[in-house]
């Protein structure tokens, strides 16, 4: 029996749905909600409750019936649970809430010194970036780089690392927005 075009479309639709679910699950695990993100919130079988909400500078949104919700620093999964619990408490029976980041705020780390493309590097919204990945995104080390003198500058202060230390699996240092990474020049 030969597959029909209808079966082909159904399989393609199922694959697309799986990819969307996979992307949403990855967001739910890795990314935290940030001020100025735009969230798409849906409640299954409640189309009138679908809304795009911009997260305030304080990390809050205002949502139907439940009012102000603090989502600052929460993951997508945590946001879904918070909204679901608040709706379940007084308004809906066992609501199925889906939250996704519709428009993510871009975050950057600055990589300077002896790298091939010094400047701002975007931190991917779907996973944490470490110092080595940031240096790689800045074009990797130049031939003059001193791999024993890498500085990470944060508001709290400056820490120094060597490339050899950063390569160790248990020494992974995750960058944060507005960090500055400085790669020193080797003395010839």
């Amino acid at each position: 029996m030969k597959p029909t075009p209808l079966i082909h479309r159904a399989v393609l639709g199922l694959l697309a749905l799986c990819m969307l679910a996979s992307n949403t699950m990855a967001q739910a695990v890795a990314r935290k909600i940030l001020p100025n993100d735009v969230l798409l919130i849906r409640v299954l079988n409640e189309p009138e409750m679908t809304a795009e909400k911009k997260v305030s500078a304080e990390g809050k949104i205002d949502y139907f019936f439940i009012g102000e919700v603090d989502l600052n620093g929460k993951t997508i999964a945590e946001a879904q649970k918070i909204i679901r619990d608040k709706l379940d408490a007084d308004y809906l029976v066992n609501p199925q809430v889906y939250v996704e980041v519709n428009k993510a705020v871009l975050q950057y780390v600055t990589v300077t010194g002896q790298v091939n493309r010094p400047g701002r590097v975007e931190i991917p919204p779907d996973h944490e970036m470490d110092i080595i990945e940031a240096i790689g995104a800045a074009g990797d080390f130049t031939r003059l780089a001193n791999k024993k003198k890498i500085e990470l500058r944060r508001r709290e202060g400056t820490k120094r690392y060597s490339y050899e230390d950063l390569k160790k699996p248990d020494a992974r240092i995750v960058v944060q927005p507005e960090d500055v990474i400085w790669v020193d020049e080797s003395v010839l």
Side-chain angles (χ1 to χ4, degrees), residues 8-21:
H8 282 276
R9 279 187 259 153
V11 170
L12 288 174
L14 184 59
L15 286 172
L17 186 60
C18 288
M19 287 173 46
L20 177 64

Side-chain angles (χ1 to χ4, degrees), residues 6 47 54 67 79-80 94 99 116 127 135 139 143 147 153 157-159 168 172:
L6 182 60
K54 185 174 181 179
Q80 287 176 172
N94 193 25
V99 176
N116 288 306
H127 81 277
I135 290 170
R143 64 181 182 79
K147 295 181 182 179
R153 300 173 184 165
T158 299
K159 293 187 179 180
K168 296 176 185 173
R172 185 172 188 254

Side-chain angles (χ1 to χ4, degrees), residues 38-49:
V38 177
L39 306 177
L40 177 62
I41 304 169
R42 293 181 295 216
V43 179
L44 188 63
N45 296 324
E46 302 290 340
E48 67 281 354
M49 293 184 73

